[in-house]
Amino acid sequence: MRFLECNNDSEFSLTEDLGDNIPQYAILSHRWEAGEVTFQDLMAGTGKSKAGYKKIQFCGEQAARDGIQYFWVDTCCIDKANNTELAEAINSMFCWYRGATKCYVYLSDVLGSPSNTDNNSHLLPWDLAFRESKWFTRGWTLQELLAPTSVEFFSQHGKRLGDKGTLKQQIHEITGIPISALEGTPLSQFRVDERLSWAENRQTTRAEDKAYSLLGMFGIYLPLIYGEGREHAFKRLRKEIQNSLTENEQYLPDPQSRSCTQDLRITDPREDKKRIEDTKGGLLEGSYRWILESPDFQQWRDNKQSRLLWIKGDPGKGKTMLLCGIINEMSALTRLRDKSTTILLSFFFCQATDSRLNNAAAVLRGLIYLLIDQQPSLLSYVRKKYDHAGKTLFESTNAWAALSEIFTSILQDPGLNSTYLIVDALDECETDLPQLLELITESASASPRVKWILSSRNKPDIEARLRLNNAQMILSLELNSEHVSRAVELFIDYKVSRLPYIIDDSALQEIVRHQIYAKASGTFLWAALALKELEPVDSWDVLDVLQEMPPELEPLYDRMLRQVQQLQRKDPEFCRLVLSTMTLAYRPLHLLEVGALSGLPGQISTNLDNVMRVVNKCGSFLTIRGNRTYFIHQSAKDFLLGKGFDKLFPSGKAEANYTMFSRSCEIMSRTLRRDIYGLRAPGFPIDQVKQPDSNPLSVAGYSCIYWVDHLCDVKTGYNKTSLGDDEDIHVFLKEHFLHWIEALSLLKSIFSGILAIHKLESFLRPTESPNLYAFIRDAKRFTRYYRSLIEKTPLQLYCSALVFAPDKSIVRRQFEKCIPPWIQGKPKVQELWNAALQTLEGHSSSVNSVAFSPDGKQVVSGSDDKTVRLWDAATGAPLQTLEAHSGWVGSVAFSPDGKQVVSSSWDETVRLWDAATGAPLQTLEAHSGWVGSVAFSPDGKQVVSGSDDKTVRLWDAATGAPLQTLEGHSDSVSSVAFSPDGKQVISGSWDETVRLWDAATGAPLQTLEGHSSSVGSVAFSPDGKQVVSGSDDKTVRLWDAATGAPLQTLEGHSSSVRSVAFSPDGKQVVSGSDDKTVRLWDAATGAPLQTLEGHSSWVRSVAFSPDGKQVVSGSDDKTVRLWDAATGAPLQTLEGHSDWVSSVAFSPDGKQVVSGSDDKTVRLWDAATGAPLQTLEGHSDSVRSVAFSPDGKQVVSGSWDETARLWDAATGAPLQTLEGHSSSVRSVAFSPDGKQVVSGSWDETVRLWDAATGAPLQTLEGHSDWVSSVAFSPDGKQVVSGSDDKTVRLWDAATGAPLQTLEGHSSSVRSVAFSPDGKQVVSGSWDETVRLWDVATGAPLQTLEGHSGWVSSVAFSPDGKLTAGLFVSEEWVREAHEDILWLPPDYRSTCEAVWDKSIVLGHSSGRLSILQFKQGPKLIPLN
C-alpha cells in the first residue's frame, strides 16, 4: 500500500509500497469523474493540470489540518496498469478504508455550505443537494461509507457538512441502510440478503464491479475476471459467501422467518427450566449425580438400540430436578453450549397448571423451537406450512396434526445427527397425550439418531401406550429408593446449612437434618416445603415447628392450609382469595392479575410488592418467578381441588367462577378503552405493535381471554349469572365490545374472542334476554366478517368495520360515535347483514371447487393457483395448503370420515391427501386429459373421477388401483358423483347429457337428455331418488333417478350454471353461476328461495354444510365465501347499476359523479348524498369510459358498441353520437376548452372530434394494438395515448402528427395523464410499474416500482405531485402512502376517481361508494 505524503511546502509526494509498516492515514471517498489524476500522471509529473487534482489537494490539506501526514486516493495510489496490483487493491479495498483514521467524502455535486457545520436540520440549504448527490448511487462508495469508523462529508468547496454520526438519519433515509450499521454494528450481524439489498440501486461503470465492490462487506477474496459479466460475477460471489458462512449465518432469519419463530414460540423451555430450578431451591449436582451413573441411564446413553428411557415415580420424588440435572450434563456435549458440535438437545416441561403448556401441541412447539434454535435450517419444515397458514398453524384445531407432521419431517432430515429429546411430567399433559405417546414410540422405533427421556408419575395408561420393549427402558424411582433418599439427604444437608437462624449451631443442624430425613421419606417436595417453612423460624422454635409437621405430602398440605387460616387479621381471607383464584385460573397469573382477579383491596392489588407479600403468605402453595405466580407443584393444586376444596371454596365452585367472571368484567371495564396502546395511526399493522412500558393489558390480559370461560364454568341454573337484558354482561358489551376486540387483537388472541362469542351465544337463552342475545348474534357476524382485518390492523375496528357494517347492525349503531371525525361522508351500505358470513382470501387465482368436511368444521377449496386449501369454517382461519399438482385444481372433496381429501387437476392426475397433516397419500394416474371432477364413495373405499378424455374412472381409495373405466360420453366429463348407497355413479358432460352408471359393473343405466348446452355439474339427492344438473344453457334441472324423467326446470340464472348440490334434507337445491350469484331453490316446487350476491366474478362451485345451515361457494374472484342458508333475509337492493362499474369521474366542481357500466348505462349521482340524479340510456353495449366537460355541463361516454356519446349533464338528454371507430371505445376525454373530444379504441386508433357538431377532426394512427387510455395536455395542443402495444405516444392535436413514442413498459399501458404544467407524462401499466416521461424529449425520468398488480389508473394532483392525496391501493384507501381505510371484499373497487378529499369507488356489483374525508391528519382519537 503506497500513500501520498504531505510535505512542508504544501506539496505532496508518492511513497513507495510501505508493506506492513502502515502509518496513520486519511483516505478519500469520491465519485470518479472526467480528468482524474492517475498513478502514471503522478509519476510523469503531469497531474497538477488535471481537474481531479483539486480533490487530491483538498484531501491533503484536510489531512494536514487534522494532523495526519499520510493520505490515500484511489485514482493515483494504485497502478491500474498492473493487473496483479489492481486485483490485490480491489480485494483489499474494504480493509484499507476500515484502517483509515479519517475518511473524507468529497461531494462534487453539493455546492452549499452550512452555517452550523453539524446542524442536522432539514432546512439547511445544502440538504436537498446532499440527498440527491450521485455519490449515494455509486457501487464502490457503499463500502467506503460502511468500512471507516470516521466518515466526514465535504461540499465541492471543501466545507464540512457533518459526519456519519450527525447525518445518520439523512443517510439512512437516502440509502435504506439501518442506522445501527452506520453506527458500527458488525456487518456479520445483518443477513446476507439485507447487505446485498443495500447495493441494489447502486451502479458501477464496469458491470463486474457491482459484484467486486461488495467483496469486503462479506470478507471474501475473489479473483477478478473482467469480461465475465455481472451475472457470472454475482454467481461466484454468492458461492463464496455461502462457503464462508457458518450454518447459523447461512440461515439468518428474514422477517417471515422471524415471525414464524416468534409465533412458534409458546415458551422457551430454557427459561422454564431456570424458573423451576429457582422455585425448587436450586439444583445441586450431588442430588442427580447418581442417575448419570445408573446402569439404566448408561445403557440408554451408550447402546444404539436403547432409544427411550422412561423415568417414573410418585409425586415429589424429584423427577423434574433429575431431568434438569441430565439436561445440564448433556448440554455441554450439544449445540446448546458447544456450537462446533452437531449433536442436538431439546426438552420440554409439561405443566398442568398452565393451560398453554399442558397439551401435546405445546410439547411439540417447545421441542421444535429449541431444535431450530440450534439448527436454523430446520425452520424450513415449519415455513412450508406457516407461509400459508400463519399463526393459526399453531393454534387451530388441526395444530397437533400439522405439528406432528412437521416434527416427524424434522426427525427425518438427512442433515440431522444425534438428537436427544427430553419431556418432563407427561402425566401433566392433559390434551392429546395418547397421540403424543404414539408419536414418541413411533419416532423412537423409526429414527436411530433420536433418543428420548421421558418422566411421569406411575401411570399404567402411560406405560401401556409406550409399548416398552428392548429398545425402551424404565427407570423407577421407587426401585431406586436408596439413591433417591441419598439425593434428598444431600438436598436437605445443603438447605439446613443455610437456615439463617441456626447457621452457627451445628448440633441443632444435625438434629434438624435427621428429623427431616425421617419425615421426608425420600420425597424432595416434602423436604423443600418443610425447609421453606423453617426459613423464618427462630432457633428455639425450629424443633417444635418441625415436630408439628406431619410426614407425607397430603397431611403437610393440610397443615399448610390450616396455618394460612390461622394468620392474623384479614390475611387468611386474602390468602383464600388468592389461592382460590389461582386454582381456577387457566394459566399462571401476573401478580397484578392476581391482585385484581382475587379482589384484594386497591392498596394491595395495584402494588406489585403488596401482592407479592400476600402470595408469599399462602403457605408455600405458590411461588413467584418474573412477576408471575405459579403453583409450587401440580400436587398442590390437586390437593386444593380435593381435600382442601371446602376450605377454599366455602360457597362452592360455581360462586367462585362467577366471581372470577364478574371481576374480569370489572377489570376490563376499568382498563379497556379505544386505542389502548396509543398507536393513533388507523392502519397501524399488528406486526409493528410494541407493548408500552406500562402495559395496561398486564392487568386485563387474562380477563380479556378467559372471562367467558369462567361464566360458562358457572353452569346453567346458577342464579346470579347477570344474563338478562341491560344487566352486567349486556352493559359491559354495549360500552366496551369494540375495546375488548381491540385488546384481543393486540394480545394476538382474536380467535379466542370469536370462540368466546360462540360460547356465549350457546350459553344464553334467547327468550330470557332477547336484546342481549340479539347483540351477541350481531357481534358474532361482525367479528367473523371482519376477522382478518381486526387481526392485522386493530384500529380499523373503529374505521372500516363500523363504516361498512350494515346500517342496522346493532354493533354499528351502538358504536357509531366511535367512527373518527375525519371520516365525514360514509357510503351507502346494506340495512341488514345479508347471507354472507365470511370471505376467505388466500388463493391467488380462481377457486374452482369447494366442499365442507363431514363434521362441518372445515372447508376445502381447489384453485387455478394449483393448490388445495383447508379452512376453519367457524373462524375462517387458513389451516393447510396442499401443494403438489402441476396444473389447475378442478375439483376437491372430503372422504366420508373427514380424514382424507381428494383433488383432481388439469395435470391429468387425482391426488389423495391426509386432511389432518396435509401429507400426500396417493397419486392416481391413468386419465389422458384434464380431470375436472372427483368424489368419494359413501363408504370411502372408492374414488370416482371424470376427465376431458371423455371417460369416468373408478379407483380403489386405499391402493390407488384403477377399478373401472366407464365410456360412453362423446365429450369432456365435467362432473361426477356417487349415489348415497354407492351403487350408482352419475356423470355430466360437455356432450349435453347426464349419464347414470352401475358402480359395480360399469354398465350404463340411464342417459338423461334435455339440456341444450354443456352440463357442468351433477348431484344425487340425499335419498338417491332424484338427480340435479346445471348447464351452460343457464338452467338447473331435476330428474327422476330411477326413470330418467325430467321433473323440474329451474330458470333464473342469466349465465352458465357451473355447480349444483342438494341440501342434506333434500328440500333445497343450491346453484352457482357465471352470473356471479348463488341461488337457493325449493326442490319440490322449483321456486326460487334466495339469491346470494357478493362475488365479483363467476361462481365455480357451491356446497351445503352437513347441517344445511350454511352454503360455501368458490369463485373466479379468488375467494371462498360462507353464506347463511337459513337467514331468510329479504334481498336488499341498493341503488346502482345492475352490472360491473367500469369508469367513474367527478364533475369539475366535485358536486356530481358520473359512472359507466357493463349494464350499458351512464348514471349521474349527487356526490354529497350519493343520490341518483340521471340514468343515461342509449348505448347498446358496455360503457367503458366516462368524463365530464371542463364546465361540467356535458358528459362523454365511450362504449363497446364502438361509439362515443355526448350527453347534457343537467337533463340527461343525448347530444351527439360519435361514430367512426371500428371496435370498442375504451377511453374518452374532453379538451381543456371543451371544444373537442378525444377517444381511444381497440381499433388501434385515436380520434379527435368536434364536441359541438360531433364531426370527426383527426384520426391518429400508429399504435399496433388496442388503445386503452387517452388525455389532452393542459394547453390542449397535445394528446397522449397508451396502448396494449406497450408504448405511450404523444401527438399534435392540431395536425394529428406523431411527436414522440415513449418505450419502456414491458406490458400493456392502461392509463396515461399529463402533469398540470404539461411538461411530464405519467403512465401506468400491467407490468406493475408507473413511469414518468419528459414531454419535450420523450426521455424516461423515473420508474416507480412497488405495485403488486396491474396499474390501471394514474394521475397527477393539482400541485403536480404524482399521486393525489387520496388513492386506492389494492384493498386500502390511502393518503400520502398511509393506510387509512380498509375496503371489505364487497367494496373493492373496479375503478375510482378522486376530487379534493372525496373518492368514488365503482364496484363489480354495479354499486358506487362515495367517501368523504376531512382535511388534516388521520388519527384515532384517544378518548
Side-chain angles (χ1 to χ4, degrees):
M1 189 177 184
R2 61 174 70 87
F3 296 94
L4 289 162
E5 183 178 4
C6 301
N7 300 324
N8 293 332
D9 56 0
S10 299
E11 293 292 319
F12 315 115
S13 59
L14 197 62
T15 71
E16 295 295 322
D17 188 335
L18 298 183
D20 295 330
N21 300 313
I22 305 298
Q24 272 198 341
Y25 62 92
I27 200 163
L28 181 69
S29 174
H30 66 112
R31 191 166 50 88
W32 278 51
E33 296 166 300
E36 295 292 354
V37 178
T38 66
F39 174 78
Q40 284 72 24
D41 291 333
L42 284 188
M43 297 305 293
T46 59
K48 288 185 180 181
S49 61
K50 287 194 162 186
Y53 190 77
K54 177 184 175 183
K55 288 188 274 190
I56 299 175
Q57 192 171 23
F58 153 75
C59 187
E61 291 173 353
Q62 186 61 43
R65 281 193 289 271
D66 289 331
I68 302 172
Q69 185 176 354
Y70 296 93
F71 64 101
W72 189 90
V73 179
D74 57 352
T75 57
C76 57
C77 291
I78 305 171
D79 181 2
K80 294 182 178 61
N82 184 328
N83 289 336
T84 302
E85 182 176 334
L86 177 62
E88 180 184 354
I90 287 177
N91 277 282
S92 304
M93 196 77 69
F94 188 89
C95 294
W96 290 354
Y97 274 88
R98 186 173 56 194
T101 303
K102 295 265 191 178
C103 174
Y104 306 133
V105 178
Y106 180 81
L107 302 176
S108 61
D109 50 1
V110 178
L111 303 178
S113 60
S115 56
N116 178 346
T117 56
D118 279 334
N119 191 338
N120 198 21
S121 166
H122 284 270
L123 299 177
L124 294 174
W126 50 269
D127 186 77
L128 181 60
F130 179 75
R131 289 174 179 272
E132 295 180 349
S133 174
K134 292 183 179 178
W135 184 85
F136 291 108
T137 69
R138 306 307 297 168
W140 288 103
T141 58
L142 176 60
Q143 65 176 359
E144 295 163 16
L145 170 65
L146 294 171
T149 303
S150 173
V151 180
E152 298 181 355
F153 294 86
F154 295 85
S155 72
Q156 184 189 95
H157 302 298
K159 298 297 184 181
R160 188 176 186 275
L161 306 175
D163 58 40
K164 186 162 63 168
T166 61
L167 297 171
K168 62 187 176 185
Q169 184 62 38
Q170 286 101 319
I171 297 170
H172 163 67
E173 292 170 4
I174 297 164
T175 64
I177 298 170
I179 288 176
S180 56
L182 300 173
E183 291 176 335
T185 298
L187 296 182
S188 60
Q189 299 297 310
F190 299 91
R191 302 187 316 276
V192 169
D193 62 330
E194 185 174 10
R195 281 179 271 171
L196 290 172
S197 73
W198 301 339
E200 277 181 359
N201 296 319
R202 292 173 177 262
Q203 303 300 322
T204 55
T205 302
R206 302 187 73 168
E208 298 84 357
D209 279 343
K210 188 154 186 182
Y212 300 160
S213 64
L214 302 177
L215 300 180
M217 287 174 54
F218 297 98
I220 297 298
Y221 176 84
L222 207 64
L224 307 187
I225 311 175
Y226 282 108
E228 66 176 322
R230 176 173 174 254
E231 185 177 344
H232 193 269
F234 264 100
K235 186 176 180 180
R236 289 198 299 131
L237 173 64
R238 287 181 181 275
K239 182 178 180 181
E240 287 302 315
I241 291 172
Q242 194 71 14
N243 291 341
S244 71
L245 298 177
T246 65
E247 183 188 22
N248 279 6
E249 288 175 324
Q250 290 178 27
Y251 293 98
L252 281 172
D254 55 87
Q256 180 75 343
S257 292
R258 284 197 294 270
S259 294
C260 178
T261 305
Q262 289 166 1
D263 289 341
L264 169 67
R265 181 191 185 277
I266 193 169
T267 186
D268 188 328
R270 291 166 294 197
E271 295 172 2
D272 289 335
K273 175 177 174 290
K274 181 70 168 63
R275 172 179 53 79
I276 290 167
E277 289 173 359
D278 290 349
T279 298
K280 300 194 176 187
L283 180 64
L284 299 178
E285 183 178 340
S287 66
Y288 66 78
R289 176 60 58 185
W290 70 269
I291 198 168
L292 302 176
E293 298 168 356
S294 73
D296 290 332
F297 177 83
Q298 291 183 351
Q299 181 178 344
W300 169 85
R301 182 190 63 198
D302 301 334
N303 188 332
K304 291 184 178 180
Q305 300 306 312
S306 298
R307 299 176 196 158
L308 188 149
L309 175 63
W310 176 35
I311 300 172
K312 64 172 187 167
D314 290 336
K317 290 295 183 182
K319 299 181 292 296
T320 298
M321 297 303 274
L322 278 176
L323 263 59
C324 287
I326 291 171
I327 291 167
N328 276 3
E329 294 298 318
M330 296 182 65
S331 292
L333 307 173
T334 71
R335 297 196 72 168
L336 282 178
R337 291 191 193 165
D338 182 359
K339 300 303 180 185
S340 65
T341 186
T342 59
I343 302 171
L344 305 185
L345 168 63
S346 187
F347 51 89
F348 189 84
F349 296 90
C350 295
Q351 295 164 69
T353 55
D354 189 338
S355 62
R356 300 168 305 148
L357 308 179
N358 65 0
N359 57 84
V363 175
L364 292 191
R365 287 172 72 174
L367 293 176
I368 293 169
Y369 176 77
L370 275 189
L371 290 172
I372 289 170
D373 187 66
Q374 298 166 78
Q375 190 165 321
S377 61
L378 300 175
L379 183 64
S380 61
Y381 294 103
V382 187
R383 283 285 303 273
K384 285 177 184 177
K385 293 182 177 293
Y386 178 85
D387 288 352
H388 298 291
K391 189 180 181 182
T392 57
L393 173 67
F394 310 122
E395 297 176 346
S396 70
T397 53
N398 280 343
W400 163 257
L403 286 163
S404 59
E405 185 193 352
I406 291 167
F407 185 68
T408 301
S409 299
I410 286 174
L411 297 188
Q412 293 171 352
D413 183 274
L416 193 74
N417 289 313
S418 296
T419 300
Y420 298 101
L421 302 170
I422 300 176
V423 181
D424 178 53
L426 280 171
D427 53 283
E428 297 189 35
C429 178
E430 298 179 351
T431 305
D432 293 333
L433 176 60
Q435 291 93 318
L436 176 61
L437 294 173
E438 181 75 19
L439 177 65
I440 290 172
T441 54
E442 287 180 0
S443 67
S445 301
S447 305
R449 296 167 296 176
V450 177
K451 293 198 172 198
W452 290 86
I453 296 180
L454 313 172
S455 80
S456 76
R457 298 184 188 184
N458 292 300
K459 291 274 191 176
D461 59 323
I462 292 178
E463 184 167 358
R465 290 183 181 279
L466 284 176
R467 302 196 299 272
L468 298 168
N469 55 35
N470 293 334
Q472 299 166 336
M473 307 176 61
I474 301 176
L475 194 156
S476 170
L477 297 187
E478 280 69 33
L479 296 179
N480 287 272
S481 58
E482 184 178 341
H483 292 298
V484 174
S485 295
R486 180 59 192 141
V488 173
E489 289 173 3
L490 287 170
F491 173 75
I492 294 169
D493 291 348
Y494 175 78
K495 285 295 186 180
V496 168
S497 68
R498 280 160 176 74
L499 288 174
Y501 292 104
I502 64 171
I503 198 164
D504 297 322
D505 192 337
S506 58
L508 183 55
Q509 285 182 1
E510 188 66 19
I511 296 169
V512 170
R513 283 193 193 99
H514 284 288
Q515 288 198 18
I516 298 178
Y517 291 165
K519 289 192 171 185
S521 300
T523 302
F524 266 101
L525 183 56
W526 193 99
L529 291 170
L531 286 160
K532 185 176 182 182
E533 187 172 339
L534 291 176
E535 283 179 4
V537 177
D538 291 316
S539 60
W540 54 83
D541 288 330
V542 165
L543 293 179
D544 290 338
V545 173
L546 190 53
Q547 185 63 34
E548 294 169 4
M549 293 182 188
E552 299 183 1
L553 273 177
E554 200 164 273
L556 182 60
Y557 284 143
D558 186 64
R559 177 177 179 277
M560 286 162 51
L561 188 55
R562 280 187 280 108
Q563 286 179 324
V564 168
Q565 292 176 307
Q566 294 165 8
L567 294 171
Q568 295 183 354
R569 291 178 289 278
K570 297 181 180 179
D571 284 351
E573 179 60 12
F574 291 165
C575 289
R576 187 192 71 79
L577 291 172
V578 168
L579 287 171
S580 62
T581 297
M582 285 298 302
T583 303
L584 295 178
Y586 283 88
R587 62 160 171 79
L589 299 177
H590 189 280
L591 283 170
L592 292 177
E593 291 174 331
V594 172
L597 288 166
S598 300
L600 295 175
Q603 66 192 79
I604 299 176
S605 64
T606 57
N607 184 288
L608 276 176
D609 291 336
N610 288 342
V611 178
M612 190 180 299
R613 287 170 62 193
V614 175
V615 170
N616 286 333
K617 291 180 180 182
C618 289
S620 299
F621 283 104
L622 305 175
T623 185
I624 299 168
R625 175 74 178 168
N627 289 334
R628 288 201 170 270
T629 311
Y630 301 83
F631 272 100
I632 189 75
H633 195 267
Q634 174 63 24
S635 60
K637 182 176 180 179
D638 294 342
F639 169 80
L640 293 175
L641 282 171
K643 292 195 174 180
F645 184 88
D646 291 339
K647 296 174 183 176
L648 210 59
F649 303 105
S651 301
K653 198 173 178 182
E655 174 76 27
N657 267 306
Y658 179 79
T659 301
M660 287 275 279
F661 144 73
S662 182
R663 287 186 184 137
S664 290
C665 288
E666 291 171 8
I667 292 165
M668 291 189 292
S669 296
R670 287 197 310 267
T671 308
L672 302 183
R673 61 184 183 274
R674 178 169 51 180
D675 193 10
I676 194 169
Y677 278 5
L679 306 177
R680 303 302 307 277
F684 204 107
I686 191 68
D687 55 9
Q688 293 180 23
V689 172
K690 294 181 180 178
Q691 291 183 357
D693 293 335
S694 179
N695 182 6
L697 295 181
S698 293
V699 179
Y702 178 90
S703 298
C704 288
I705 295 172
Y706 295 107
W707 70 276
V708 174
D709 293 286
H710 286 292
L711 175 66
C712 294
D713 287 343
V714 171
K715 307 300 182 188
T716 306
Y718 185 72
N719 61 4
K720 288 169 59 177
T721 50
S722 302
L723 295 176
D725 288 341
D726 295 317
E727 292 186 7
D728 293 352
I729 295 176
H730 199 190
V731 169
F732 166 73
L733 291 172
K734 286 196 294 184
E735 183 69 25
H736 295 291
F737 172 70
L738 290 190
H739 305 154
W740 173 50
I741 298 298
E742 178 197 337
L744 287 169
S745 177
L746 295 170
L747 292 166
K748 299 187 177 180
S749 297
I750 198 66
F751 291 109
S752 299
I754 293 174
L755 294 175
I757 293 170
H758 279 268
K759 290 177 185 176
L760 197 53
E761 181 187 21
S762 300
F763 194 74
L764 293 173
R765 295 176 180 174
T767 55
E768 295 179 4
S769 48
N771 294 335
L772 173 58
Y773 187 74
F775 188 104
I776 292 298
R777 285 182 62 82
D778 193 78
K780 182 176 78 170
R781 293 296 302 269
F782 185 89
T783 48
R784 284 186 70 179
Y785 190 81
Y786 291 112
R787 174 198 59 81
S788 63
L789 169 67
I790 300 166
E791 192 178 26
K792 296 172 185 174
T793 47
L795 296 187
Q796 282 295 306
L797 260 173
Y798 308 104
C799 303
S800 176
L802 289 176
V803 165
F804 293 105
D807 193 48
K808 290 187 177 179
S809 158
I810 297 171
V811 171
R812 174 178 173 141
R813 293 202 162 189
Q814 183 67 33
F815 295 99
E816 197 153 16
K817 61 185 180 296
C818 294
I819 297 175
W822 45 264
I823 302 178
Q824 291 191 312
K826 296 180 277 292
K828 289 188 176 181
V829 294
Q830 305 262 350
E831 275 197 0
L832 305 169
W833 291 106
N834 59 24
L837 298 173
Q838 294 196 70
T839 300
L840 314 181
E841 298 182 288
H843 282 297
S844 59
S845 192
S846 303
V847 179
N848 296 315
S849 182
V850 289
F852 273 96
S853 61
D855 61 6
K857 293 181 178 179
Q858 294 184 49
V859 165
V860 64
S861 57
S863 167
D864 280 0
D865 65 10
K866 306 177 187 176
T867 70
V868 176
R869 288 181 180 251
L870 290 164
W871 315 79
D872 186 294
T875 66
L879 302 175
Q880 302 266 2
T881 299
L882 316 181
E883 297 177 297
H885 282 297
S886 58
W888 299 342
V889 178
S891 181
V892 290
F894 274 97
S895 60
D897 61 6
K899 294 182 178 179
Q900 294 183 49
V901 165
V902 65
S903 60
S904 68
S905 168
W906 283 46
D907 63 10
E908 304 182 2
T909 69
V910 174
R911 289 182 179 261
L912 290 164
W913 314 79
D914 186 295
T917 66
L921 301 175
Q922 300 272 358
T923 301
L924 315 181
E925 298 177 296
H927 282 296
S928 58
W930 48 259
V931 185
S933 183
V934 286
F936 273 99
S937 61
D939 61 6
K941 294 181 178 179
Q942 294 184 51
V943 166
V944 62
S945 58
S947 168
D948 180 51
D949 64 11
K950 307 176 187 177
T951 69
V952 176
R953 289 182 178 258
L954 292 166
W955 314 78
D956 186 294
T959 65
L963 302 174
Q964 300 269 1
T965 301
L966 315 181
E967 298 178 302
H969 283 296
S970 59
D971 208 334
S972 304
V973 179
S974 54
S975 183
V976 290
F978 273 96
S979 61
D981 62 6
K983 294 181 178 180
Q984 294 183 52
V985 165
I986 186 173
S987 58
S989 168
W990 287 6
D991 65 9
E992 304 179 5
T993 70
V994 176
R995 290 182 178 251
L996 289 164
W997 314 79
D998 186 294
T1001 66
L1005 301 175
Q1006 299 272 359
T1007 300
L1008 313 182
E1009 298 178 303
H1011 283 295
S1012 58
S1013 190
S1014 302
V1015 178
S1017 181
V1018 291
F1020 273 99
S1021 61
D1023 61 6
K1025 294 180 177 180
Q1026 293 185 51
V1027 164
V1028 63
S1029 58
S1031 166
D1032 280 2
D1033 65 10
K1034 308 177 188 177
T1035 69
V1036 176
R1037 290 182 179 250
L1038 291 165
W1039 315 78
D1040 185 294
T1043 66
L1047 301 175
Q1048 299 272 0
T1049 300
L1050 314 181
E1051 297 179 302
H1053 283 295
S1054 59
S1055 191
S1056 301
V1057 179
R1058 296 292 182 179
S1059 182
V1060 290
F1062 274 97
S1063 60
D1065 62 5
K1067 294 180 178 180
Q1068 295 183 52
V1069 165
V1070 64
S1071 56
S1073 166
D1074 281 3
D1075 65 10
K1076 310 176 194 174
T1077 70
V1078 176
R1079 290 181 179 251
L1080 291 166
W1081 314 80
D1082 185 294
T1085 67
L1089 301 175
Q1090 288 206 63
T1091 301
L1092 311 179
E1093 297 179 303
H1095 282 296
S1096 60
S1097 190
W1098 301 339
V1099 179
R1100 294 289 196 175
S1101 181
V1102 290
F1104 273 98
S1105 61
D1107 61 5
K1109 293 181 179 180
Q1110 294 184 51
V1111 164
V1112 63
S1113 58
S1115 166
D1116 264 23
D1117 65 11
K1118 308 177 188 177
T1119 70
V1120 176
R1121 288 189 180 233
L1122 289 165
W1123 312 82
D1124 187 335
T1127 183
L1131 180 64
Q1132 304 167 59
T1133 304
L1134 296 178
E1135 293 175 300
H1137 292 284
S1138 60
D1139 208 339
W1140 190 290
V1141 180
S1142 304
S1143 181
V1144 287
F1146 276 97
S1147 61
D1149 61 6
K1151 292 182 178 180
Q1152 293 185 50
V1153 166
V1154 64
S1155 59
S1157 165
D1158 282 1
D1159 69 2
K1160 309 175 188 177
T1161 70
V1162 176
R1163 288 181 179 246
L1164 290 163
W1165 313 81
D1166 185 293
T1169 66
L1173 301 174
Q1174 300 276 356
T1175 300
L1176 316 181
E1177 297 179 301
H1179 283 295
S1180 59
D1181 209 333
S1182 302
V1183 179
R1184 305 308 292 175
S1185 181
V1186 290
F1188 273 97
S1189 61
D1191 60 8
K1193 293 181 178 180
Q1194 293 183 52
V1195 164
V1196 64
S1197 56
S1199 166
W1200 276 6
D1201 66 8
E1202 304 179 4
T1203 71
R1205 288 181 179 254
L1206 290 165
W1207 314 80
D1208 186 293
T1211 66
L1215 300 175
Q1216 299 283 351
T1217 300
L1218 313 181
E1219 297 179 298
H1221 284 294
S1222 59
S1223 188
S1224 304
V1225 178
R1226 293 305 305 257
S1227 181
V1228 289
F1230 274 98
S1231 61
D1233 60 8
K1235 294 181 178 180
Q1236 294 184 50
V1237 165
V1238 64
S1239 58
S1241 168
W1242 279 10
D1243 65 9
E1244 303 177 7
T1245 70
V1246 176
R1247 288 182 180 253
L1248 292 167
W1249 313 80
D1250 186 293
T1253 65
L1257 301 176
Q1258 299 277 354
T1259 300
L1260 314 181
E1261 297 180 302
H1263 283 296
S1264 59
D1265 208 333
W1266 301 339
V1267 179
S1268 300
S1269 182
V1270 290
F1272 273 99
S1273 61
D1275 61 6
K1277 294 181 179 180
Q1278 294 185 51
V1279 165
V1280 63
S1281 58
S1283 166
D1284 276 16
D1285 67 9
K1286 308 176 188 177
T1287 70
V1288 176
R1289 289 182 178 252
L1290 290 165
W1291 314 81
D1292 186 294
T1295 66
L1299 302 175
Q1300 301 277 358
T1301 300
L1302 315 181
E1303 297 179 300
H1305 283 295
S1306 59
S1307 189
S1308 303
V1309 179
R1310 308 303 287 181
S1311 182
V1312 290
F1314 276 96
S1315 61
D1317 62 6
K1319 294 181 178 179
Q1320 294 182 46
V1321 160
V1322 63
S1323 56
S1325 166
W1326 280 5
D1327 65 10
E1328 303 182 3
T1329 69
V1330 174
R1331 290 180 180 253
L1332 280 169
W1333 313 83
D1334 184 288
V1335 169
T1337 65
L1341 300 175
Q1342 262 186 297
T1343 300
L1344 309 179
E1345 298 176 301
H1347 283 283
S1348 57
W1350 299 341
V1351 181
S1352 299
S1353 180
V1354 291
F1356 282 94
S1357 60
D1359 61 3
K1361 293 180 180 177
L1362 180 56
T1363 51
L1366 286 173
F1367 63 101
V1368 175
S1369 177
E1370 298 176 356
E1371 70 264 30
W1372 284 93
V1373 176
R1374 309 189 81 196
E1375 183 178 64
H1377 301 284
E1378 295 291 331
D1379 296 335
I1380 62 171
L1381 190 72
W1382 182 78
L1383 299 173
D1386 290 341
Y1387 291 87
R1388 307 273 164 85
S1389 63
T1390 54
C1391 54
E1392 62 271 345
V1394 175
W1395 188 87
D1396 192 28
K1397 293 300 174 184
S1398 297
I1399 187 166
V1400 59
L1401 310 174
H1403 306 299
S1404 60
S1405 63
R1407 291 185 287 109
L1408 269 70
S1409 296
I1410 301 174
L1411 291 152
Q1412 295 168 334
F1413 299 94
K1414 187 178 179 180
Q1415 186 74 34
K1418 307 298 186 287
L1419 301 174
I1420 300 297
L1422 288 176
N1423 49 29

